[in-house]
Amino acid sequence: MSDVMIEINGLSKSFGSLEVLRGIDLEVERGEVVCVIGPSGSGKSTLLRCVNLLEEPTAGKVVVDGTDLTDPDTDLDGARRHIGMVFQQFNLFAHLPVLDNLTVAQRKVLGRDKATAEKVARENLERVGLSDKADAMPAQLSGGQQQRVAIARALSMNPQVMLFDEPTSALDPELVGDVLGVMRQLADEGMTMLVVTHEMQFAREVADRVLFMDGGGIVEQGPPADVIGAPKEERTRTFLARVL
Ligand code: ADP
Ligand code: MG
């Protein structure tokens, strides 16, 4: 078993004539937590979406847990099962209770029977501190609770990697802490995580490595104490001055 969980080589992505990612090289180790920071429009979401091929790269290679997702012969649906993704908008099924939100994909995609899927769902609701909300409807929950349900739903698929795209950006400030707490706990459990975030305190405390992106490239990367605490590049300093 290799120590590398995500391997990205020469990844480029264009939308028409707009070059959004310009030859990204990135390796994420098993169990590593990498936070991606950078201004709006720098390509952070596109990078994340290329990791599970929600966006098809224009060029380059994306290998996750030894499977080359950019190889046309790869079973993409099969590979994606091992990659959990949590978005800014939680995208829960509004017409289904929480428990069913967590069991649908387990049953349809993984073929688990109802009892197994519900057992896994309850375990993961407990993991995010919501074991008492199994029967609630999404609309009855706060934004922070809904985002924790979305995390529990992703975890119920037993992912090897979790991708987070600004998971707290849509939340009222007082609800951010609970979601970050769950993410911190996942990091402590050894989950491999790639997290786009504007929460600099979280990045400082939880990330093993911080990447600063601008203009579709990685401008600077390293331990949070360096990239956030003592950035080398002028563009990083300018960005941090605006967000800190
Ligand atoms: P970030 O997440 O850092 O804000 P994005 O990856 O969302 O940046 O976007 C980077 C650039 O790519 C932006 O200029 C955005 O408008 C453009 N872009 C993103 N997705 C699409 C798309 N599906 N079609 C056209 N342009 C896109
Ligand atoms: Mg984005």
Side-chain angles (χ1 to χ4, degrees):
M1 197 164 71
S2 152
D3 286 342
V4 179
M5 180 63 88
I6 303 175
E7 188 186 343
I8 295 171
N9 281 312
L11 173 64
S12 295
K13 175 67 185 177
S14 298
F15 294 105
S17 60
L18 181 67
E19 200 179 4
V20 172
L21 297 178
R22 303 163 187 266
I24 303 263
D25 295 312
L26 172 66
E27 277 190 2
V28 178
E29 281 179 32
R30 218 168 272 278
E32 193 180 14
V33 177
V34 175
C35 285
V36 181
I37 63 173
S40 178
S42 57
K44 305 180 300 296
S45 293
T46 305
L47 171 63
L48 228 59
R49 293 166 61 81
C50 281
V51 173
N52 59 6
L53 271 269
L54 276 180
E55 294 290 357
E56 195 181 340
T58 309
K61 196 165 144 176
V62 177
V63 179
V64 178
D65 202 15
T67 301
D68 182 353
L69 276 76
T70 38
D71 178 342
D73 292 334
T74 293
D75 165 21
L76 256 191
D77 289 337
R80 283 200 188 106
R81 280 172 209 170
H82 305 295
I83 306 173
M85 185 148 182
V86 174
F87 303 88
Q88 184 173 330
Q89 302 302 338
F90 338 118
N91 304 320
L92 298 178
F93 302 116
H95 62 292
L96 293 180
V98 165
L99 192 71
D100 294 5
N101 264 276
L102 270 63
T103 58
V104 170
Q106 290 189 67
R107 299 189 66 189
K108 280 201 178 143
V109 179
L110 302 182
R112 287 180 181 154
D113 61 57
K114 187 165 188 274
T116 305
E118 289 189 353
K119 180 170 177 286
V120 171
R122 287 185 195 282
E123 283 164 6
N124 282 299
L125 281 177
E126 182 166 2
R127 214 165 158 190
V128 302
L130 293 173
S131 34
D132 56 335
K133 300 295 184 192
D135 301 319
M137 296 302 285
Q140 296 171 304
L141 304 179
S142 73
Q145 290 171 331
Q146 289 187 52
Q147 188 61 299
R148 281 146 67 198
V149 170
I151 294 172
R153 178 175 62 178
L155 293 174
S156 295
M157 302 296 282
N158 300 114
Q160 302 287 316
V161 182
M162 286 285 285
L163 309 175
F164 292 89
D165 193 358
E166 299 195 35
T168 59
S169 294
L171 301 177
D172 291 333
E174 75 272 20
L175 304 176
V176 167
D178 288 342
V179 172
L180 293 180
V182 166
M183 292 168 64
R184 184 186 296 254
Q185 174 194 322
L186 276 184
D188 289 344
E189 290 169 8
M191 179 65 76
T192 308
M193 295 165 51
L194 190 53
V195 183
V196 175
T197 187
H198 294 295
E199 296 290 336
M200 293 303 145
Q201 189 64 23
F202 175 84
R204 258 180 195 271
E205 291 173 11
V206 180
D208 296 303
R209 180 157 46 120
V210 173
L211 304 183
F212 172 69
M213 280 185 71
D214 196 15
I218 298 171
V219 173
E220 177 164 6
Q221 62 175 305
D226 294 352
V227 176
I228 299 175
K232 289 193 196 71
E233 301 291 334
E234 184 56 39
R235 276 192 284 174
T236 317
R237 283 198 285 268
T238 306
F239 170 75
L240 288 169
R242 276 191 283 125
V243 299
L244 284 178

